[in-house]
Amino acid sequence: MNLTPLPRSFYEGSALEIAPAMIGTLLVHRVPEGTLAARIVECEAYRGPEDLAAHSAGGRRTRRTEVMFGPPGHVYMFRLYGMHWAFNVVVSPEGCPHAILVRAVEPVLGADIMAARRGVEPGSVRLTNGPGKLCAAMGLDAATYGADLCAPKAGALPEIFLAPGAAGAKVCRSARINVDYAGAWARKPWRFYERGNRYVSVRPRD
DNA sequence: GAATAGATTGTCT
DNA sequence: GACAATCTATTCT
């Protein structure tokens, strides 16, 4: 397994190019109990300011969305329905508020630690088959907001980063989940997932 | 398996 | 004060 951080250049393009490329890569988080790693199997592209489904729609720049307007390769975290966290990767050049929401991952390393955090059986898909679940499992919360995915920590690996995964994932696309409020933008096929992976949070949509 | 209701809080109008 | 890029338990079929 190659646990080397992807370079900053990986994050510099448009969200629509990077989101499919992220399927199959590894999300790595080093926590006190050990190193957690999981394959990204589902994500969604959000491209403000035009995209009305994005939190950065219309160029809305607030304390919460601020990091999306900064340089690529950083982490955008937000709270959902008052009780869950969601993990996003900021992409595209500075000033262009694109982000990619990671919706589901497949545990690769430290599944036992994740299971303990979630209070779920280690082999269960319920561990990480949803944005809120993967954050709870991998220990991602407000403390992760703004983290740099490309910054070596004390001469070693960053605390959190994306690493190349095995090639060959079959990537499918569909409309994004639960963004009905965004009108025509809600129907854009900007959700990407790995075909047949059992961790994908499939739900009927249009 | 599908549908439904209830939880619970930071952020912005 | 309203609402949200959700999850879980529960109640059906």
Side-chain angles (χ1 to χ4, degrees), chain A residues 63-86:
Chain A
R63 186 158 76 261
R64 183 177 67 147
T65 63
E66 180 61 30
V67 70
M68 281 198 276
F69 291 83
H74 290 253
V75 176
Y76 168 49
M77 299 293 298
F78 65 94
R79 206 183 244 295
L80 217 28
Y81 297 94
M83 62 192 84
H84 303 293
W85 287 100

Side-chain angles (χ1 to χ4, degrees), chain A residues 3 8 36 39 49 58 71 74 85 88 98-99 110 116 119 140-143 145 185 197 203:
Chain A
L3 291 189
R8 181 89 57 198
L36 306 177
R39 271 168 63 79
H74 290 253
W85 287 100
N88 305 250
H98 290 196
L140 305 169
D141 55 27
Y145 183 96
W185 294 93
N197 189 290
R203 267 209 255 162

Side-chain angles (χ1 to χ4, degrees), chain A residues 24-83:
Chain A
T25 63
L26 297 171
L27 170 60
V28 183
H29 190 202
R30 302 194 301 145
V31 297
E33 302 98 298
T35 297
L36 306 177
R39 271 168 63 79
I40 294 175
V41 300
E42 179 180 353
C43 64
E44 290 178 353
Y46 286 87
R47 23 185 300 158
E50 311 85 31
D51 179 4
L52 293 183
H55 291 158
S56 54
R60 202 171 49 157
R61 186 166 186 163
T62 63
R63 186 158 76 261
R64 183 177 67 147
T65 63
E66 180 61 30
V67 70
M68 281 198 276
F69 291 83
H74 290 253
V75 176
Y76 168 49
M77 299 293 298
F78 65 94
R79 206 183 244 295
L80 217 28
Y81 297 94
M83 62 192 84

